[in-house]
Amino acid sequence: GKVLYLKHDNGYSTVYAHLHSFKKEIADTINAEQYSKKKFEIEIFPEKDLFFFRKGDTIGLSGNSGGSAGPHLHFEIRDAKEDMPVNPLLFGLNVPDLFPPVLHNIFIYKPQYGSVPNKIQLKTIDSLHYFTDERIDAPSPFYVGFSASDYAVTDSNKLGIYHTLLIAGEDTIYSYTFNSFTFDQTKYISAHVDTY
């Protein structure tokens, strides 16, 4: 679809995708390039000073172009040098987070590849505390997994979990925080996804 990448002087770039249209001066440049190359689908990399925008300027209108399920703005902040997506909430965006993540189930895995995990149903005490009254039989060694969802105040989409910490006694066994990752690392997201 229609996407615009802006490079900023602070070493970051921002991405605006699935746009309906570009600002007129951008659209005119793209149209001229399309006619010149006799191609509809093009990528252009304009000279650094061809376009200049200030905070608050309109650069395009959100839409539904490309592989999109509905009108929206796909927005990213990237480390421009590495072209690495960075968590936009680290830049002072004020997105209220009033709801804790919802923990659905715990899974106990045997170390054998392909074995079906033991699914532990959880019950809620309140929005932060869970328990099970099931007996948990775990082999030695075993692995622990969980299914959970997070929700934003402003929409009903299920979101991924930003930060996880697994503690046994006083020892941190495992933790992760998703602040940034390279496109080469996206395959590792599958390590946090299971079909159960």
Side-chain angles (χ1 to χ4, degrees):
K2 294 179 180 172
V3 61
L4 186 64
Y5 295 76
L6 294 183
K7 283 194 174 181
H8 302 269
D9 292 334
N10 62 1
Y12 292 97
S13 61
T14 49
V15 181
Y16 308 83
H18 303 299
L19 297 176
H20 175 267
S21 59
F22 298 112
K23 184 175 182 174
K24 185 178 185 319
E25 63 188 278
I26 300 171
D28 289 346
T29 302
I30 291 171
N31 288 339
E33 192 74 14
Q34 287 172 321
Y35 280 107
S36 169
K37 294 188 173 179
K38 298 181 181 176
K39 286 177 64 177
F40 180 75
E41 187 174 318
I42 62 165
E43 289 184 356
I44 65 168
F45 300 91
E47 294 297 322
K48 181 178 178 181
D49 297 324
L50 182 60
F51 301 112
F52 181 81
F53 303 104
R54 296 184 186 281
K55 181 178 178 179
D57 287 351
T58 298
I59 56 173
L61 299 177
S62 66
N64 191 28
S65 64
S68 170
H72 73 289
L73 173 66
H74 176 115
F75 173 74
E76 294 179 26
I77 297 177
R78 295 185 184 180
D79 175 318
K81 184 177 179 183
E82 303 292 328
D83 196 33
M84 181 171 61
V86 178
N87 181 357
L89 297 180
L90 300 175
F91 293 83
L93 293 175
N94 185 15
V95 178
D97 187 2
L98 304 178
F99 308 120
V102 176
L103 191 59
H104 304 295
N105 299 294
I106 297 287
F107 298 90
I108 305 297
Y109 290 84
K110 296 176 183 176
Q112 292 83 17
Y113 177 78
S115 64
V116 177
N118 181 15
K119 181 178 179 180
I120 310 299
Q121 299 286 341
L122 297 176
K123 299 178 180 180
T124 57
I125 296 173
D126 56 41
S127 64
L128 295 175
H129 299 91
Y130 299 84
F131 74 97
T132 182
D133 50 15
E134 294 181 38
R135 177 188 163 113
I136 300 175
D137 292 318
S140 180
F142 68 93
Y143 304 105
V144 177
F146 68 93
S147 67
S149 302
D150 203 0
Y151 299 90
V153 173
T154 54
D155 71 50
S156 59
N157 291 327
K158 285 184 180 181
L159 306 173
I161 303 301
Y162 167 68
H163 176 72
T164 296
L165 184 64
L166 176 62
I167 298 172
E170 296 182 4
D171 298 326
T172 298
I173 305 300
Y174 178 76
S175 70
Y176 70 81
T177 302
F178 283 125
N179 276 330
S180 66
F181 54 87
T182 65
F183 288 105
D184 289 344
Q185 292 173 324
T186 56
K187 61 188 173 188
Y188 298 118
I189 291 174
S190 297
H192 294 88
V193 176
D194 201 338
T195 57
Y196 296 102

mmCIF file of all heavy atoms in Angstrom, residues 93-130:
data_model
loop_
_atom_site.group_PDB
_atom_site.id
_atom_site.type_symbol
_atom_site.label_atom_id
_atom_site.label_comp_id
_atom_site.label_asym_id
_atom_site.label_seq_id
_atom_site.Cartn_x
_atom_site.Cartn_y
_atom_site.Cartn_z
ATOM 1 N N LEU A 93 4.693 8.902 24.249
ATOM 2 C CA LEU A 93 3.298 8.838 23.802
ATOM 3 C C LEU A 93 2.428 8.517 25.015
ATOM 4 O O LEU A 93 2.729 7.603 25.778
ATOM 5 C CB LEU A 93 3.115 7.767 22.735
ATOM 6 C CG LEU A 93 3.800 8.027 21.404
ATOM 7 C CD1 LEU A 93 3.635 6.815 20.492
ATOM 8 C CD2 LEU A 93 3.223 9.256 20.732
ATOM 9 N N ASN A 94 1.374 9.244 25.176
ATOM 10 C CA ASN A 94 0.512 9.066 26.339
ATOM 11 C C ASN A 94 -0.626 8.117 25.986
ATOM 12 O O ASN A 94 -1.664 8.531 25.501
ATOM 13 C CB ASN A 94 -0.035 10.422 26.803
ATOM 14 C CG ASN A 94 -0.835 10.285 28.091
ATOM 15 O OD1 ASN A 94 -0.763 9.267 28.773
ATOM 16 N ND2 ASN A 94 -1.597 11.306 28.412
ATOM 17 N N VAL A 95 -0.390 6.835 26.207
ATOM 18 C CA VAL A 95 -1.410 5.815 25.971
ATOM 19 C C VAL A 95 -1.772 5.228 27.329
ATOM 20 O O VAL A 95 -0.944 4.572 27.960
ATOM 21 C CB VAL A 95 -0.903 4.710 25.021
ATOM 22 C CG1 VAL A 95 -1.963 3.636 24.832
ATOM 23 C CG2 VAL A 95 -0.479 5.306 23.689
ATOM 24 N N PRO A 96 -2.974 5.482 27.804
ATOM 25 C CA PRO A 96 -3.331 4.980 29.136
ATOM 26 C C PRO A 96 -3.293 3.450 29.191
ATOM 27 O O PRO A 96 -3.730 2.785 28.268
ATOM 28 C CB PRO A 96 -4.763 5.484 29.354
ATOM 29 C CG PRO A 96 -5.128 6.301 28.178
ATOM 30 C CD PRO A 96 -4.052 6.209 27.161
ATOM 31 N N ASP A 97 -2.734 2.923 30.244
ATOM 32 C CA ASP A 97 -2.695 1.480 30.470
ATOM 33 C C ASP A 97 -3.347 1.221 31.819
ATOM 34 O O ASP A 97 -2.684 1.202 32.849
ATOM 35 C CB ASP A 97 -1.257 0.968 30.435
ATOM 36 C CG ASP A 97 -1.177 -0.555 30.499
ATOM 37 O OD1 ASP A 97 -2.246 -1.204 30.524
ATOM 38 O OD2 ASP A 97 -0.067 -1.089 30.547
ATOM 39 N N LEU A 98 -4.644 1.035 31.791
ATOM 40 C CA LEU A 98 -5.407 0.903 33.033
ATOM 41 C C LEU A 98 -5.710 -0.539 33.407
ATOM 42 O O LEU A 98 -6.203 -0.799 34.493
ATOM 43 C CB LEU A 98 -6.723 1.686 32.913
ATOM 44 C CG LEU A 98 -6.594 3.173 32.558
ATOM 45 C CD1 LEU A 98 -7.966 3.810 32.425
ATOM 46 C CD2 LEU A 98 -5.772 3.907 33.604
ATOM 47 N N PHE A 99 -5.458 -1.471 32.471
ATOM 48 C CA PHE A 99 -5.824 -2.856 32.715
ATOM 49 C C PHE A 99 -4.580 -3.736 32.793
ATOM 50 O O PHE A 99 -3.735 -3.691 31.903
ATOM 51 C CB PHE A 99 -6.728 -3.387 31.590
ATOM 52 C CG PHE A 99 -7.914 -2.511 31.314
ATOM 53 C CD1 PHE A 99 -8.099 -1.952 30.062
ATOM 54 C CD2 PHE A 99 -8.837 -2.235 32.304
ATOM 55 C CE1 PHE A 99 -9.189 -1.145 29.801
ATOM 56 C CE2 PHE A 99 -9.932 -1.432 32.054
ATOM 57 C CZ PHE A 99 -10.111 -0.886 30.802
ATOM 58 N N PRO A 100 -4.472 -4.563 33.811
ATOM 59 C CA PRO A 100 -3.346 -5.512 33.848
ATOM 60 C C PRO A 100 -3.590 -6.609 32.813
ATOM 61 O O PRO A 100 -4.725 -6.856 32.407
ATOM 62 C CB PRO A 100 -3.414 -6.071 35.274
ATOM 63 C CG PRO A 100 -4.830 -5.911 35.690
ATOM 64 C CD PRO A 100 -5.341 -4.682 34.995
ATOM 65 N N PRO A 101 -2.521 -7.292 32.369
ATOM 66 C CA PRO A 101 -2.715 -8.428 31.466
ATOM 67 C C PRO A 101 -3.606 -9.487 32.120
ATOM 68 O O PRO A 101 -3.687 -9.583 33.343
ATOM 69 C CB PRO A 101 -1.293 -8.961 31.260
ATOM 70 C CG PRO A 101 -0.401 -7.821 31.602
ATOM 71 C CD PRO A 101 -1.115 -7.043 32.661
ATOM 72 N N VAL A 102 -4.269 -10.270 31.285
ATOM 73 C CA VAL A 102 -5.136 -11.342 31.764
ATOM 74 C C VAL A 102 -4.420 -12.663 31.534
ATOM 75 O O VAL A 102 -4.040 -12.990 30.411
ATOM 76 C CB VAL A 102 -6.490 -11.329 31.020
ATOM 77 C CG1 VAL A 102 -7.344 -12.510 31.450
ATOM 78 C CG2 VAL A 102 -7.209 -10.011 31.252
ATOM 79 N N LEU A 103 -4.197 -13.400 32.602
ATOM 80 C CA LEU A 103 -3.556 -14.704 32.531
ATOM 81 C C LEU A 103 -4.645 -15.758 32.326
ATOM 82 O O LEU A 103 -5.596 -15.828 33.115
ATOM 83 C CB LEU A 103 -2.772 -14.961 33.820
ATOM 84 C CG LEU A 103 -1.836 -16.140 33.869
ATOM 85 C CD1 LEU A 103 -0.776 -16.044 32.780
ATOM 86 C CD2 LEU A 103 -1.176 -16.215 35.238
ATOM 87 N N HIS A 104 -4.523 -16.564 31.269
ATOM 88 C CA HIS A 104 -5.560 -17.545 30.947
ATOM 89 C C HIS A 104 -5.241 -18.935 31.501
ATOM 90 O O HIS A 104 -6.074 -19.536 32.176
ATOM 91 C CB HIS A 104 -5.748 -17.640 29.428
ATOM 92 C CG HIS A 104 -6.065 -16.338 28.778
ATOM 93 N ND1 HIS A 104 -7.218 -15.628 29.018
ATOM 94 C CD2 HIS A 104 -5.354 -15.592 27.891
ATOM 95 C CE1 HIS A 104 -7.226 -14.514 28.309
ATOM 96 N NE2 HIS A 104 -6.096 -14.465 27.618
ATOM 97 N N ASN A 105 -4.060 -19.438 31.182
ATOM 98 C CA ASN A 105 -3.679 -20.792 31.579
ATOM 99 C C ASN A 105 -2.179 -20.861 31.828
ATOM 100 O O ASN A 105 -1.419 -20.036 31.337
ATOM 101 C CB ASN A 105 -4.015 -21.810 30.468
ATOM 102 C CG ASN A 105 -5.486 -21.855 30.150
ATOM 103 O OD1 ASN A 105 -6.298 -22.246 30.968
ATOM 104 N ND2 ASN A 105 -5.836 -21.433 28.947
ATOM 105 N N ILE A 106 -1.791 -21.886 32.576
ATOM 106 C CA ILE A 106 -0.387 -22.253 32.749
ATOM 107 C C ILE A 106 -0.213 -23.616 32.079
ATOM 108 O O ILE A 106 -1.126 -24.455 32.113
ATOM 109 C CB ILE A 106 -0.024 -22.364 34.255
ATOM 110 C CG1 ILE A 106 -0.197 -21.023 34.950
ATOM 111 C CG2 ILE A 106 1.373 -22.918 34.446
ATOM 112 C CD1 ILE A 106 0.853 -20.001 34.610
ATOM 113 N N PHE A 107 0.952 -23.846 31.488
ATOM 114 C CA PHE A 107 1.235 -25.120 30.836
ATOM 115 C C PHE A 107 2.517 -25.712 31.411
ATOM 116 O O PHE A 107 3.495 -24.994 31.609
ATOM 117 C CB PHE A 107 1.401 -24.932 29.322
ATOM 118 C CG PHE A 107 0.175 -24.402 28.648
ATOM 119 C CD1 PHE A 107 -0.029 -23.040 28.502
ATOM 120 C CD2 PHE A 107 -0.781 -25.273 28.152
ATOM 121 C CE1 PHE A 107 -1.164 -22.549 27.893
ATOM 122 C CE2 PHE A 107 -1.929 -24.793 27.533
ATOM 123 C CZ PHE A 107 -2.122 -23.426 27.397
ATOM 124 N N ILE A 108 2.500 -27.005 31.677
ATOM 125 C CA ILE A 108 3.687 -27.727 32.112
ATOM 126 C C ILE A 108 4.128 -28.615 30.949
ATOM 127 O O ILE A 108 3.374 -29.467 30.483
ATOM 128 C CB ILE A 108 3.405 -28.597 33.359
ATOM 129 C CG1 ILE A 108 2.825 -27.754 34.493
ATOM 130 C CG2 ILE A 108 4.657 -29.342 33.788
ATOM 131 C CD1 ILE A 108 3.746 -26.669 35.012
ATOM 132 N N TYR A 109 5.343 -28.380 30.470
ATOM 133 C CA TYR A 109 5.883 -29.106 29.326
ATOM 134 C C TYR A 109 6.918 -30.130 29.756
ATOM 135 O O TYR A 109 7.764 -29.844 30.596
ATOM 136 C CB TYR A 109 6.574 -28.136 28.357
ATOM 137 C CG TYR A 109 5.655 -27.219 27.611
ATOM 138 C CD1 TYR A 109 5.218 -26.040 28.189
ATOM 139 C CD2 TYR A 109 5.252 -27.512 26.320
ATOM 140 C CE1 TYR A 109 4.381 -25.181 27.499
ATOM 141 C CE2 TYR A 109 4.421 -26.660 25.613
ATOM 142 C CZ TYR A 109 3.988 -25.495 26.210
ATOM 143 O OH TYR A 109 3.170 -24.645 25.534
ATOM 144 N N LYS A 110 6.866 -31.314 29.136
ATOM 145 C CA LYS A 110 7.946 -32.289 29.248
ATOM 146 C C LYS A 110 9.057 -31.858 28.301
ATOM 147 O O LYS A 110 8.804 -31.174 27.310
ATOM 148 C CB LYS A 110 7.441 -33.678 28.866
ATOM 149 C CG LYS A 110 6.369 -34.212 29.786
ATOM 150 C CD LYS A 110 5.865 -35.549 29.281
ATOM 151 C CE LYS A 110 4.731 -36.056 30.162
ATOM 152 N NZ LYS A 110 4.157 -37.315 29.643
ATOM 153 N N PRO A 111 10.283 -32.257 28.558
ATOM 154 C CA PRO A 111 11.376 -31.826 27.687
ATOM 155 C C PRO A 111 11.382 -32.495 26.306
ATOM 156 O O PRO A 111 12.093 -32.061 25.422
ATOM 157 C CB PRO A 111 12.636 -32.187 28.482
ATOM 158 C CG PRO A 111 12.205 -33.205 29.451
ATOM 159 C CD PRO A 111 10.756 -32.974 29.737
ATOM 160 N N GLN A 112 10.577 -33.542 26.079
ATOM 161 C CA GLN A 112 10.564 -34.218 24.787
ATOM 162 C C GLN A 112 9.838 -33.355 23.756
ATOM 163 O O GLN A 112 8.729 -32.871 23.994
ATOM 164 C CB GLN A 112 9.857 -35.584 24.870
ATOM 165 C CG GLN A 112 10.585 -36.613 25.691
ATOM 166 C CD GLN A 112 10.307 -36.459 27.178
ATOM 167 O OE1 GLN A 112 9.356 -35.808 27.569
ATOM 168 N NE2 GLN A 112 11.160 -37.052 27.998
ATOM 169 N N TYR A 113 10.484 -33.180 22.595
ATOM 170 C CA TYR A 113 9.882 -32.389 21.525
ATOM 171 C C TYR A 113 8.578 -33.036 21.075
ATOM 172 O O TYR A 113 8.499 -34.248 20.894
ATOM 173 C CB TYR A 113 10.847 -32.278 20.331
ATOM 174 C CG TYR A 113 10.256 -31.536 19.164
ATOM 175 C CD1 TYR A 113 10.178 -30.150 19.183
ATOM 176 C CD2 TYR A 113 9.750 -32.222 18.071
ATOM 177 C CE1 TYR A 113 9.622 -29.449 18.130
ATOM 178 C CE2 TYR A 113 9.190 -31.532 17.012
ATOM 179 C CZ TYR A 113 9.138 -30.152 17.042
ATOM 180 O OH TYR A 113 8.561 -29.465 15.991
ATOM 181 N N GLY A 114 7.561 -32.227 20.900
ATOM 182 C CA GLY A 114 6.292 -32.722 20.390
ATOM 183 C C GLY A 114 5.346 -33.249 21.448
ATOM 184 O O GLY A 114 4.211 -33.622 21.133
ATOM 185 N N SER A 115 5.778 -33.305 22.699
ATOM 186 C CA SER A 115 4.876 -33.806 23.733
ATOM 187 C C SER A 115 3.794 -32.769 24.025
ATOM 188 O O SER A 115 4.010 -31.567 23.917
ATOM 189 C CB SER A 115 5.649 -34.136 25.012
ATOM 190 O OG SER A 115 6.227 -32.971 25.550
ATOM 191 N N VAL A 116 2.622 -33.247 24.357
ATOM 192 C CA VAL A 116 1.488 -32.365 24.643
ATOM 193 C C VAL A 116 1.613 -31.856 26.072
ATOM 194 O O VAL A 116 1.780 -32.649 27.003
ATOM 195 C CB VAL A 116 0.154 -33.115 24.452
ATOM 196 C CG1 VAL A 116 -1.024 -32.229 24.827
ATOM 197 C CG2 VAL A 116 0.022 -33.605 23.018
ATOM 198 N N PRO A 117 1.540 -30.541 26.269
ATOM 199 C CA PRO A 117 1.696 -30.006 27.625
ATOM 200 C C PRO A 117 0.471 -30.272 28.497
ATOM 201 O O PRO A 117 -0.634 -30.478 27.996
ATOM 202 C CB PRO A 117 1.876 -28.509 27.394
ATOM 203 C CG PRO A 117 1.147 -28.237 26.118
ATOM 204 C CD PRO A 117 1.336 -29.471 25.279
ATOM 205 N N ASN A 118 0.698 -30.269 29.795
ATOM 206 C CA ASN A 118 -0.385 -30.369 30.770
ATOM 207 C C ASN A 118 -0.936 -28.959 30.981
ATOM 208 O O ASN A 118 -0.221 -28.063 31.425
ATOM 209 C CB ASN A 118 0.155 -30.952 32.075
ATOM 210 C CG ASN A 118 -0.912 -31.115 33.133
ATOM 211 O OD1 ASN A 118 -2.098 -31.052 32.839
ATOM 212 N ND2 ASN A 118 -0.487 -31.325 34.360
ATOM 213 N N LYS A 119 -2.198 -28.756 30.637
ATOM 214 C CA LYS A 119 -2.831 -27.432 30.726
ATOM 215 C C LYS A 119 -3.482 -27.271 32.100
ATOM 216 O O LYS A 119 -4.317 -28.063 32.498
ATOM 217 C CB LYS A 119 -3.879 -27.294 29.626
ATOM 218 C CG LYS A 119 -4.596 -25.979 29.584
ATOM 219 C CD LYS A 119 -5.573 -25.991 28.402
ATOM 220 C CE LYS A 119 -6.339 -24.717 28.297
ATOM 221 N NZ LYS A 119 -7.277 -24.771 27.151
ATOM 222 N N ILE A 120 -3.064 -26.224 32.805
ATOM 223 C CA ILE A 120 -3.579 -25.949 34.143
ATOM 224 C C ILE A 120 -4.582 -24.796 34.055
ATOM 225 O O ILE A 120 -4.234 -23.682 33.658
ATOM 226 C CB ILE A 120 -2.439 -25.550 35.114
ATOM 227 C CG1 ILE A 120 -1.283 -26.558 35.051
ATOM 228 C CG2 ILE A 120 -2.977 -25.357 36.521
ATOM 229 C CD1 ILE A 120 -1.643 -27.946 35.437
ATOM 230 N N GLN A 121 -5.826 -25.081 34.391
ATOM 231 C CA GLN A 121 -6.860 -24.039 34.387
ATOM 232 C C GLN A 121 -6.655 -23.120 35.589
ATOM 233 O O GLN A 121 -6.376 -23.577 36.689
ATOM 234 C CB GLN A 121 -8.256 -24.673 34.475
ATOM 235 C CG GLN A 121 -8.589 -25.600 33.329
ATOM 236 C CD GLN A 121 -8.891 -24.858 32.042
ATOM 237 O OE1 GLN A 121 -9.198 -23.678 32.056
ATOM 238 N NE2 GLN A 121 -8.806 -25.557 30.924
ATOM 239 N N LEU A 122 -6.785 -21.832 35.359
ATOM 240 C CA LEU A 122 -6.605 -20.855 36.435
ATOM 241 C C LEU A 122 -7.928 -20.235 36.826
ATOM 242 O O LEU A 122 -8.828 -20.074 36.011
ATOM 243 C CB LEU A 122 -5.631 -19.764 35.990
ATOM 244 C CG LEU A 122 -4.214 -20.235 35.696
ATOM 245 C CD1 LEU A 122 -3.372 -19.085 35.173
ATOM 246 C CD2 LEU A 122 -3.571 -20.834 36.937
ATOM 247 N N LYS A 123 -8.022 -19.880 38.089
ATOM 248 C CA LYS A 123 -9.179 -19.155 38.616
ATOM 249 C C LYS A 123 -8.687 -17.819 39.157
ATOM 250 O O LYS A 123 -7.544 -17.706 39.599
ATOM 251 C CB LYS A 123 -9.872 -19.966 39.707
ATOM 252 C CG LYS A 123 -10.403 -21.295 39.203
ATOM 253 C CD LYS A 123 -11.041 -22.103 40.321
ATOM 254 C CE LYS A 123 -11.562 -23.430 39.782
ATOM 255 N NZ LYS A 123 -12.173 -24.230 40.846
ATOM 256 N N THR A 124 -9.539 -16.826 39.111
ATOM 257 C CA THR A 124 -9.109 -15.491 39.536
ATOM 258 C C THR A 124 -9.520 -15.220 40.975
ATOM 259 O O THR A 124 -10.608 -15.585 41.408
ATOM 260 C CB THR A 124 -9.715 -14.402 38.638
ATOM 261 O OG1 THR A 124 -11.142 -14.521 38.661
ATOM 262 C CG2 THR A 124 -9.230 -14.529 37.215
ATOM 263 N N ILE A 125 -8.609 -14.582 41.689
ATOM 264 C CA ILE A 125 -8.930 -14.010 43.000
ATOM 265 C C ILE A 125 -9.354 -12.564 42.766
ATOM 266 O O ILE A 125 -10.377 -12.111 43.257
ATOM 267 C CB ILE A 125 -7.710 -14.079 43.943
ATOM 268 C CG1 ILE A 125 -7.347 -15.542 44.202
ATOM 269 C CG2 ILE A 125 -7.975 -13.323 45.232
ATOM 270 C CD1 ILE A 125 -6.077 -15.742 44.983
ATOM 271 N N ASP A 126 -8.541 -11.844 41.996
ATOM 272 C CA ASP A 126 -8.856 -10.494 41.532
ATOM 273 C C ASP A 126 -8.067 -10.284 40.247
ATOM 274 O O ASP A 126 -7.502 -11.230 39.704
ATOM 275 C CB ASP A 126 -8.540 -9.434 42.604
ATOM 276 C CG ASP A 126 -7.094 -9.500 43.072
ATOM 277 O OD1 ASP A 126 -6.187 -9.685 42.224
ATOM 278 O OD2 ASP A 126 -6.850 -9.362 44.277
ATOM 279 N N SER A 127 -8.016 -9.069 39.722
ATOM 280 C CA SER A 127 -7.383 -8.839 38.428
ATOM 281 C C SER A 127 -5.869 -9.051 38.429
ATOM 282 O O SER A 127 -5.259 -9.085 37.365
ATOM 283 C CB SER A 127 -7.703 -7.429 37.928
ATOM 284 O OG SER A 127 -7.136 -6.462 38.793
ATOM 285 N N LEU A 128 -5.266 -9.220 39.593
ATOM 286 C CA LEU A 128 -3.823 -9.414 39.670
ATOM 287 C C LEU A 128 -3.409 -10.782 40.214
ATOM 288 O O LEU A 128 -2.246 -11.153 40.110
ATOM 289 C CB LEU A 128 -3.187 -8.331 40.550
ATOM 290 C CG LEU A 128 -3.268 -6.902 40.038
ATOM 291 C CD1 LEU A 128 -2.711 -5.938 41.080
ATOM 292 C CD2 LEU A 128 -2.521 -6.750 38.729
ATOM 293 N N HIS A 129 -4.336 -11.515 40.784
ATOM 294 C CA HIS A 129 -3.974 -12.754 41.477
ATOM 295 C C HIS A 129 -4.806 -13.927 40.965
ATOM 296 O O HIS A 129 -6.024 -13.801 40.793
ATOM 297 C CB HIS A 129 -4.166 -12.594 42.990
ATOM 298 C CG HIS A 129 -3.317 -11.519 43.572
ATOM 299 N ND1 HIS A 129 -3.746 -10.217 43.690
ATOM 300 C CD2 HIS A 129 -2.044 -11.537 44.042
ATOM 301 C CE1 HIS A 129 -2.790 -9.489 44.222
ATOM 302 N NE2 HIS A 129 -1.746 -10.256 44.436
ATOM 303 N N TYR A 130 -4.119 -15.066 40.759
ATOM 304 C CA TYR A 130 -4.746 -16.265 40.225
ATOM 305 C C TYR A 130 -4.365 -17.454 41.095
ATOM 306 O O TYR A 130 -3.377 -17.412 41.824
ATOM 307 C CB TYR A 130 -4.252 -16.524 38.792
ATOM 308 C CG TYR A 130 -4.576 -15.411 37.834
ATOM 309 C CD1 TYR A 130 -3.752 -14.286 37.734
ATOM 310 C CD2 TYR A 130 -5.694 -15.472 37.020
ATOM 311 C CE1 TYR A 130 -4.047 -13.260 36.849
ATOM 312 C CE2 TYR A 130 -5.990 -14.452 36.127
ATOM 313 C CZ TYR A 130 -5.161 -13.351 36.047
ATOM 314 O OH TYR A 130 -5.460 -12.337 35.186
#
